[in-house]
Amino acid sequence: MTDRPVDRPLDPDLWPATTTVAADGSVSIGGVDLRALAAEHGTPAYVLDEADFRRRARGFREAFERAFGAIGTEVDVYYAGKAFLSTAVARWAVQEGLRIDTATGGELAVALRAGVPGDHIGLHGNNKSDTEIARALDAGVGRLVVDSLLEVDRVADAAAAAGVRAPVMVRVTTGVHAGGHEYISTAHEDQKFGLSIAGGQALEALEAVLGRPDLDLVGIHSHIGSQILDASGFAVAARRILELRARLAERTGHLVREVDLGGGYGIAYLPGEAPLDPARVAVEMARAVADVCAELGTSVPRVSVEPGRAIVGPTTVTVYSVGTVKPVVVEEEDGAFTRTYVSVDGGMSDNLRPALYGARYSAAVVSRDGGPGAVRARVVGKHCESGDVVVHDVLLPADVRAGDLLAVPATGAYGRSMASNYNLVPRPPVLAVRDGEVSVLVRRETEDDLLALDVG
Ligand SMILES: *Cc1c(COP(=O)(O)O)cnc(C)c1O
């Protein structure tokens, strides 16, 4: 046993790349002491390490370019904006050589406001509105990913009305479900996205696109899941898409030029978890694509991928202030123990994932070194909901107390982007830190913002 606090050292797979711990136990990110940041900007706050975001974006692009270059083709990396999008991060992604994926008119508007060139933007969505389709065509997006047979006609009609030829991809389901450590491979999928390869709807939609002169078929798209830690699902999905591509070519003479293998690359949320290594996945994916194309006797397509979580997730921590600390005796079969409920000034309104998916996180006190000893803690929010849990089970210093700053790492993806105003709690700001400077990417919501929507 050492007298090191139970929440040290901070696991480098969980915390942003520039995280440092001073001799007094206080934590800095991007050269900014979180105590000073909290004093100036308040809590809760999302703190995003700009250098780490850029490094991850660049790292993804370089790894995929290397792997797919080695099999003689090119690859585009689209940052999936739904994980977290603001004009600044869209610009950083583009500066690092990425393109931007959007799924709604709102995300498209942010990408356009950021100055992302239209042809470097993709638009997804299983239920796009006419306005969203028209806006995307007007912006000259590089791809609209159609998700149903009905949408083939809707996009074609919109393109005809606008006097343009719409670049479309067809989203297919490969029967590969992935998420977490395992993937499942079936023929059919019972979910709302995409058109089934096994059921024949994918081929039907591809042929329908080829039959419409207002549409330019640029690719076949698949996204197999999220938080994937087992790379083999991507290879199975790639095989099924490439076989579909070959079958379409046989029937129509049209060999689709691009294949998008989606996002879903998993990250570490808990100490000891190993994130999926982009360089390794890129090599495995490229090998699968090359092997299957060789087997089918087709040329290797251009490839694209759409990481969201793996780029922004680990770059961000949420900094909270601790309020109420309450011991609760919990009876279990093998005896009773005390769980310390540590309440923070946010909760399910700034991080919905634990309530939505049972997602697990870790936490550490970042304003000081904790004293010796540990308590078994549950970090909870301030909302009127017993499921308002931020961190289910974590060891914290025994002297954790009101006024401590507590940070939860790996909240960059699907944190602010899924935030709500439940209990009319204003949403926290997103603060970028870099080289000792803080810049506000998204400001804190105020009660005036909330009241402004209430028109009486
Ligand atoms: C959500 C989504 C992504 C990004 O997923 P991550 O798990 O954040 O990498 C990419 N493509 C599509 C179509 C998606 O729906």
Side-chain angles (χ1 to χ4, degrees):
M1 280 288 285
T2 67
D3 56 3
R4 195 163 61 189
V6 65
D7 54 354
R8 302 287 187 270
L10 302 178
D11 185 331
D13 278 334
L14 300 187
W15 292 79
T18 66
T19 304
T20 56
V21 183
D24 65 359
S26 63
V27 174
S28 294
I29 301 175
V32 175
D33 184 328
L34 295 178
R35 294 171 303 189
L37 175 141
E40 188 178 345
H41 296 274
T43 58
Y46 303 99
V47 179
L48 192 167
D49 180 346
E50 177 182 345
D52 197 17
F53 182 97
R54 289 178 176 277
R55 183 185 68 95
R56 288 173 176 280
R58 194 165 55 242
F60 236 94
R61 178 177 56 73
E62 288 171 355
F64 276 77
E65 281 176 355
R66 210 176 307 122
F68 283 90
I71 64 161
T73 190
E74 291 181 74
V75 65
D76 297 307
V77 179
Y78 284 74
Y79 170 60
K82 74 176 201 251
F84 172 65
L85 194 63
S86 75
T87 53
V89 302
R91 280 193 292 269
W92 300 343
V94 168
Q95 285 162 7
E96 299 302 338
L98 275 59
R99 301 179 178 203
I100 306 290
D101 226 7
T102 64
T104 62
E107 290 175 10
L108 178 60
V110 172
L112 291 172
R113 172 75 65 84
V116 181
D119 62 351
H120 283 202
I121 300 176
L123 179 68
H124 281 281
N126 69 301
N127 188 26
K128 302 172 195 73
S129 69
D130 291 336
T131 310
E132 286 170 329
I133 293 170
R135 181 103 195 266
L137 292 174
D138 185 52
V141 301
R143 51 169 69 174
L144 278 113
V145 183
V146 300
D147 202 280
S148 65
L149 269 169
L150 198 70
E151 204 174 63
V152 172
D153 287 330
R154 290 179 61 221
V155 173
D157 292 346
V164 296
R165 192 149 182 252
V168 302
M169 284 194 156
V170 173
R171 177 154 175 183
V172 304
T173 52
T174 57
V176 177
H177 295 277
H181 296 271
E182 304 262 310
Y183 81 91
I184 313 166
S185 180
T186 58
H188 295 277
E189 288 190 25
D190 186 7
Q191 51 117 332
K192 70 174 183 173
F193 294 110
L195 290 143
S196 168
I197 295 180
Q201 292 89 354
L203 191 61
E204 194 182 340
L206 289 163
E207 291 185 351
V209 171
L210 290 173
R212 296 289 305 238
D214 303 302
L215 301 179
D216 175 20
L217 177 60
V218 300
I220 305 176
H221 183 285
S222 131
H223 172 70
I224 60 174
S226 212
Q227 185 54 14
I228 297 167
L229 295 166
D230 169 3
S232 49
F234 290 112
V236 178
R239 163 172 292 278
R240 294 185 183 168
I241 292 175
L242 292 166
E243 287 170 351
L244 172 68
R245 174 173 176 258
R247 202 170 329 132
L248 181 71
E250 244 168 58
R251 290 168 59 97
T252 65
H254 183 98
L255 187 64
V256 172
R257 61 182 181 269
E258 183 166 343
V259 158
D260 189 309
L261 295 172
Y265 310 90
I267 63 168
Y269 282 102
L270 296 177
E273 275 180 351
L276 200 58
D277 174 12
R280 223 197 70 216
V281 189
V283 167
E284 280 183 35
M285 246 188 208
R287 189 183 309 128
V289 168
D291 288 353
V292 177
C293 287
E295 198 181 297
L296 296 169
T298 51
S299 63
V300 173
R302 191 184 184 91
V303 170
S304 42
V305 290
E306 304 170 337
R309 184 193 316 270
I311 290 178
V312 74
T315 66
T316 301
V317 308
T318 311
V319 180
Y320 300 99
S321 295
V322 171
T324 302
V325 176
K326 184 194 286 184
V328 173
V329 176
V330 181
E331 306 280 354
E332 277 188 349
E333 267 177 24
D334 46 358
F337 72 96
T338 299
R339 193 193 307 281
T340 302
Y341 276 77
V342 175
S343 295
V344 294
D345 51 353
M348 64 191 292
S349 57
D350 58 72
N351 190 354
L352 185 59
R353 295 187 66 257
L356 188 61
Y357 312 125
R360 299 297 170 103
Y361 285 86
S362 72
V365 172
V366 291
S367 44
R368 63 182 176 96
D369 256 347
V375 289
R376 188 162 167 193
R378 178 165 291 171
V379 180
V380 295
K382 62 180 290 170
H383 295 280
C384 303
E385 190 71 54
S386 54
D388 174 27
V389 171
V390 179
V391 182
H392 202 256
D393 195 17
V394 62
L395 291 178
L396 288 176
D399 63 352
V400 61
R401 58 186 180 249
D404 281 339
L405 294 177
L406 185 102
V408 174
T411 57
Y414 310 106
R416 181 60 177 77
S417 72
M418 283 189 176
S420 78
N421 290 123
Y422 179 42
N423 286 138
L424 292 178
V425 170
R427 289 172 295 179
V430 181
L431 309 172
V433 289
R434 177 184 165 178
D435 299 335
E437 304 280 342
V438 181
S439 43
V440 180
L441 302 189
V442 180
R443 72 161 167 80
R444 183 182 302 283
E445 229 166 12
T446 63
E447 285 174 3
D448 284 342
D449 290 327
L450 302 178
L451 286 164
L453 299 177
D454 184 335
V455 295

